[in-house]
Amino acid sequence: APPIIAGLARANKSDIDKSWEAVKYAVRPRIHTFLATSDIHMEHKLRMSRDQVLETVGDMVEYARSLCQDVEFSPEDAGRSDPEFLYQVLAVAIRAGATTVNIPDTVGYTTPDEYGDLIKRLRENTPGGKDVIFSVHCHNDLGLATANTLAGVKNGARQVEVTINGIGERAGNTSLEETVM
């Protein structure tokens, strides 16, 4: 099958439109949109309440889905987010049309046991979670990106987001070659 070509967009119409413009001629286009869900990011970065985040996720995933049949949603900083809130956010994203939900350990904060357990609990407790692909996206701040990725796969993730040689912001992301081996 041809590769999926994804464009990453913040959860706003302008970014989603630009992402769609970039991928719309691909054989298999995808829009990947994200919004932070940890209390620290919602308060200090977004300056949004939980209700505002839920509304924005629903509206923006629905908007992306109106443009593209394949939509991925990420709750940024999921590793530090309240799992009960994540169930709600992911359920809203799935109802709005997300086909893949990606669980980022944005600041490389979790350990493999914690991250694997989070993936397992999200898969088991998210309404609609059995109908979508769970994806993992790990940063390497504690040197655990590959270990966390493998823990996510062991607990049911079916997509892994990796980089060549682990290149990525700060300490990098999960390394393709480590994960493959």
Side-chain angles (χ1 to χ4, degrees):
I4 295 169
I5 306 300
L8 183 64
R10 292 173 297 182
N12 66 63
K13 283 188 176 183
S14 175
D15 278 23
I16 291 169
D17 286 339
K18 287 178 179 75
S19 180
W20 177 238
E21 284 299 312
V23 302
K24 70 181 179 183
Y25 298 109
V27 175
R28 296 177 66 197
R30 173 181 287 176
I31 296 172
H32 181 171
T33 190
F34 65 95
L35 191 65
T37 55
S38 66
D39 289 331
I40 192 167
H41 277 204
M42 287 186 294
E43 180 181 348
H44 298 290
K45 178 177 163 182
L46 299 177
R47 301 190 192 292
M48 293 172 77
S49 69
R50 286 185 175 196
D51 287 341
Q52 289 172 310
V53 166
L54 289 167
E55 181 179 357
T56 301
V57 167
D59 290 347
M60 292 303 103
V61 170
E62 185 176 317
Y63 181 66
R65 185 62 189 258
S66 76
L67 302 171
C68 185
Q69 290 301 301
D70 187 356
V71 175
E72 182 170 347
F73 172 74
S74 293
E76 184 184 10
D77 204 20
R80 295 191 297 177
S81 298
D82 171 8
E84 297 290 330
F85 182 55
L86 283 178
Y87 305 150
Q88 295 175 47
V89 170
L90 295 178
V92 165
I94 293 165
R95 277 197 309 273
T99 50
T100 299
V101 290
N102 175 63
I103 310 304
D105 181 24
T106 302
V107 295
Y109 176 85
T110 60
T111 63
D113 286 345
E114 292 169 330
Y115 190 73
D117 184 58
L118 176 63
I119 298 300
K120 181 177 190 239
R121 287 189 295 149
L122 291 173
R123 286 185 58 247
E124 291 174 350
N125 295 301
T126 298
K130 294 185 181 12
D131 302 321
V132 297
I133 293 170
F134 273 80
S135 173
V136 294
H137 177 105
C138 299
H139 287 252
N140 206 34
D141 300 67
L142 299 179
L144 296 170
T146 300
N148 284 344
T149 295
L150 296 175
V153 169
K154 182 178 178 185
N155 284 280
R158 293 178 32 221
Q159 174 179 298
V160 296
E161 298 189 0
V162 297
T163 66
I164 304 295
N165 294 325
I167 295 169
E169 61 190 336
R170 296 183 322 276
N173 297 88
T174 308
S175 167
L176 167 67
E177 54 282 3
E178 288 177 6
T179 304
V180 167
M181 294 311 293

